[in-house]
Amino acid sequence: MFLTKEEEKIYNGEYGEILETCMNLLVSLGDIYGAEKLIPISSAQVSGVSYKTIGEKGLEFLKDMSNSNIKVSVPTTLNPAGMDLDKYVELGFPKEFAKKQLEVIECFKKMSIEIGCTCTPYLSGNVPIFGSHISWAESSAVSYANSIIGARTNREGGPSALASAILGKTPYYGYHLDENRIPTHIIEVDAEITKLSDYGALGSIVGKIVKNGVPYFKFKKLDIDDVSSYKSYKLKGLGASLAASGGVALYHVENITPEAKIVMGKIEESNYKEIEKITITDDDIKNEYESLNSAECPDLICIGCPHCSLEEITEVVDFILKNNLNKNNRFKCDLWICTSIHIKSIADRMGYTDIIENAGGKIVCDTCMVVAPVEDMGYKNIATNSGKAAKYLPNFCNSNVIYGDTIDILKKGI
Ligand code: F3S
């Protein structure tokens, strides 16, 4: 891989061991994937934040990095941690876990990384522009950035995103290149897809089929208003599910996503006929719902995977008001609405947090049902409206899953 003189100096350790390690990591990745050079990035998003996922070894690594006084060189945000950084005592997070988690956060803070821990950085200020190169690690955020925004990132791991954040560069390969953004599969959706959980089920099916391919969706019936603007959370759910059940980092939706027209033009020039076509029917969706469900009664209802937008919180508030839930008539099981501290501050001002808390629910920031130690907090049956969470909960948290749309799972709690 070509390196500039300055990059060579870093590679050879002339600026110290930490920068050398970072450069070695990026060059190794570049060599493996055939990158010709490094390119500048406009932002980074780093995963490997929950103490549950990184453990003691990860914490030691971060302590070594942060003690060297190294700082990130581009705007960098963090993925969810293992607990709400403000309300961890009130929510009953284990004491020892909380202590370790705070140490992890301190390391990132020392490196000048913004500690608003969220998997939806694009709703909280880390918003790349179309065509910009970034280095993001959270798979659902990667999918959103590539697909809905048209920015360019590979599915980075925690260490490579951190190395990129520090050096401000990433190897030029994969989804940074035009040729890897061309669809590999055409998905004809001949099913009624309206609710968020329908999109999750669709993503779950298609991810398994295309693995790390690039699906191009053609919906037979799609209300554009239902997935655009504020309601793009439905596509956020689709992307998260695609990334969790397969390794999808980029998808296109006809007439919706910014590169759909461009990439389709490129296919027609070459060999549209040879691209694999898959049809998804109502029966496929129904079967996927069944396969994602493994329980009936939740002890925790969890909404916000990926982290909730204000629109999704509003839907919960409307449900609470409509069903007269309040201090005297509360949810019969725990309810977590997972979001970022940024979105929660607006929910506070709107009065939504009070309404949810009066009904017995909690707006939980900085974490989620997958990366929090929910299995150690006594939760066994978790209701979710997220295809990604439904996929991960059995393995990561040893939980049974009740999968359904927002209103359906909220009804299970009253
Ligand atoms: Fe975000 Fe946790 Fe889901 S990190 S995408 S809410 S598994």
Side-chain angles (χ1 to χ4, degrees), residues 325-336:
L325 298 172
N326 51 50
K327 276 199 169 126
N328 304 315
N329 178 30
R330 300 183 134 199
F331 281 102
K332 295 185 175 41
C333 64
D334 286 351
L335 165 67
W336 286 10

Side-chain angles (χ1 to χ4, degrees), residues 206-227:
V206 174
K208 279 182 267 187
I209 299 170
V210 308
K211 300 194 170 60
N212 61 354
V214 179
Y216 182 101
F217 289 92
K218 287 176 164 219
F219 286 83
K220 285 222 169 130
K221 314 156 208 162
L222 181 67
D223 175 0
I224 293 184
D225 288 344
D226 196 42
V227 291

